[in-house]
């Protein structure tokens, strides 16, 4: 016990730093690894995203207990949440907020009776699709611009839509949000796990801190360092 006590005294500065860092990550700002492509083309696998934990609530550190509500998630926000339904932490984009009626037909959203606008992006065909030998086969997916009632962002659609391309209309009650992945045909989101309770939402992702290329020996992607996730 004396050795333990002496070790704690000798390293109290380091232990204090670790403790404060844990509190900071729990209550102020955090970073999360994104291992899948459900948010392509906005977030790519290997991105480490910065999460603003004070975007919506001031929470008791290490808990989901809200001490003060600061703001509510808005359409277009990329949120990080601990999903009880999926039993893991997820990153998705808020599409519907409390009071909205949302429907999807062939991957095109309608919110409160208003059909969203969809347009082309520069370089619509993906790099991997462009590498396909000309004339050998069609690109497997296409990137589009979705205007989410004032919040424009990119989405990815398969040339052959999946079974997730249609739903609704869904009326969103108070305290819940409808969240979708930008990679619409390859995302287990509210179409699979249901609406997201507000108290599961941890914060808003605004930027990529750094990115590692899993398919190239985990080398860093310098062009993605500190990249904004806002359109």
């Amino acid at each position: 016990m004396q050795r333990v006590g002496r070790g704690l005294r000798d390293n109290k500065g380091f232990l204090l730093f670790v403790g404060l860092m844990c509190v900071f990550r729990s209550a102020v700002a955090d970073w999360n690894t994104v291992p899948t492509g459900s948010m392509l083309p906005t977030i790519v696998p290997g991105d480490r995203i910065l999460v603003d934990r004070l975007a919506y609530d001031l929470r008791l550190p290490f808990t989901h207990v809200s001490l003060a509500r600061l703001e509510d998630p808005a359409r277009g926000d990329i949120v990080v949440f601990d999903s009880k339904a999926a039993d893991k932490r997820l990153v998705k984009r808020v599409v519907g907020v409390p009071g909205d009626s949302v429907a999807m037909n062939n991957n095109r959203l309608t919110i409160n009776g208003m059909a969203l606008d969809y347009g082309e992006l520069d370089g619509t065909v993906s790099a991997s699709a462009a590498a396909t030998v000309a004339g050998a086969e069609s690109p497997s997916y296409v990137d589009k611009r979705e205007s989410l009632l004032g919040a424009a962002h990119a989405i990815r659609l398969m040339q052959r839509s999946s079974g997730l391309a249609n739903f609704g209309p869904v009326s969103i009650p108070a305290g819940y949000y409808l969240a979708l992945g930008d990679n619409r045909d390859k995302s287990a989101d509210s179409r699979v796990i249901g609406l997201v309770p507000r108290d599961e939402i941890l914060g808003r992702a605004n930027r990529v801190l750094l990115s590692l290329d899993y398919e190239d020996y985990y080398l860093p992607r310098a062009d993605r360092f500190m990249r904004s996730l806002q359109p």
Side-chain angles (χ1 to χ4, degrees), residues 123-144:
T124 294
V125 178
S126 69
S128 60
T132 303
V133 177
E137 60 179 287
S138 299
S140 60
Y141 57 82
V142 64
D143 292 341
K144 295 279 189 179

Side-chain angles (χ1 to χ4, degrees), residues 38-39 91-95 102 104 109 146 167 178-184 187 189-191:
S38 69
M39 283 295 291
V91 181
K92 305 295 177 188
R93 188 182 298 274
V94 173
V95 169
V102 183
M104 178 182 280
L109 286 167
E146 179 180 79
F167 70 82
L178 191 149
L180 302 179
D182 287 349
N183 194 356
R184 290 291 161 79
S187 176
D189 44 42
S190 284
R191 295 168 293 180

Side-chain angles (χ1 to χ4, degrees), residues 5-207:
R6 185 165 55 250
L8 291 175
R9 288 193 300 272
D10 292 345
N11 295 281
K12 62 182 179 181
F14 174 73
L15 294 174
L16 178 61
F17 171 78
V18 171
L20 290 175
M21 180 59 69
C22 290
V23 170
F24 179 84
R25 290 193 62 181
S26 175
V28 180
D30 197 2
W31 50 92
N32 287 93
T33 301
V34 180
T36 72
S38 69
M39 283 295 291
L40 284 166
T42 310
I43 301 174
V44 303
D47 280 354
R48 270 64 171 171
I49 57 173
L50 179 64
V51 181
D52 181 1
R53 290 267 192 150
L54 290 175
Y56 308 122
D57 293 272
L58 174 62
R59 295 184 184 273
L60 186 67
F62 311 113
T63 76
H64 281 237
V65 176
S66 177
L67 301 176
R69 181 171 292 193
L70 305 177
E71 188 178 333
D72 287 322
R75 292 190 205 92
D77 285 0
I78 298 175
V79 296
V80 177
F81 58 100
D82 283 334
S83 172
K84 292 181 181 178
D87 195 27
K88 59 183 176 181
R89 184 165 296 181
L90 298 175
V91 181
K92 305 295 177 188
R93 188 182 298 274
V94 173
V95 169
V97 299
D100 281 348
S101 176
V102 183
M104 178 182 280
N105 181 25
N106 194 26
N107 268 325
R108 290 178 173 265
L109 286 167
T110 299
I111 301 178
N112 301 328
M114 182 178 298
L116 302 192
D117 291 329
Y118 291 84
E120 303 297 328
L121 289 175
D122 293 335
T124 294
V125 178
S126 69
S128 60
T132 303
V133 177
E137 60 179 287
S138 299
S140 60
Y141 57 82
V142 64
D143 292 341
K144 295 279 189 179
R145 176 185 52 78
E146 179 180 79
S147 294
L148 191 58
L149 300 185
H153 62 98
I155 61 170
R156 178 157 294 180
L157 303 175
M158 301 300 294
Q159 295 287 25
R160 293 185 178 181
S161 296
S162 68
L164 299 173
N166 302 279
F167 70 82
V170 175
S171 296
I172 304 175
Y176 288 86
Y177 295 83
L178 191 149
L180 302 179
D182 287 349
N183 194 356
R184 290 291 161 79
D185 292 299
K186 293 189 175 182
S187 176
D189 44 42
S190 284
R191 295 168 293 180
V192 176
I193 63 173
L195 299 177
V196 180
R198 191 190 187 287
D199 61 10
E200 290 184 354
I201 297 176
L202 300 175
R204 180 172 58 219
N206 294 319
R207 166 176 315 274

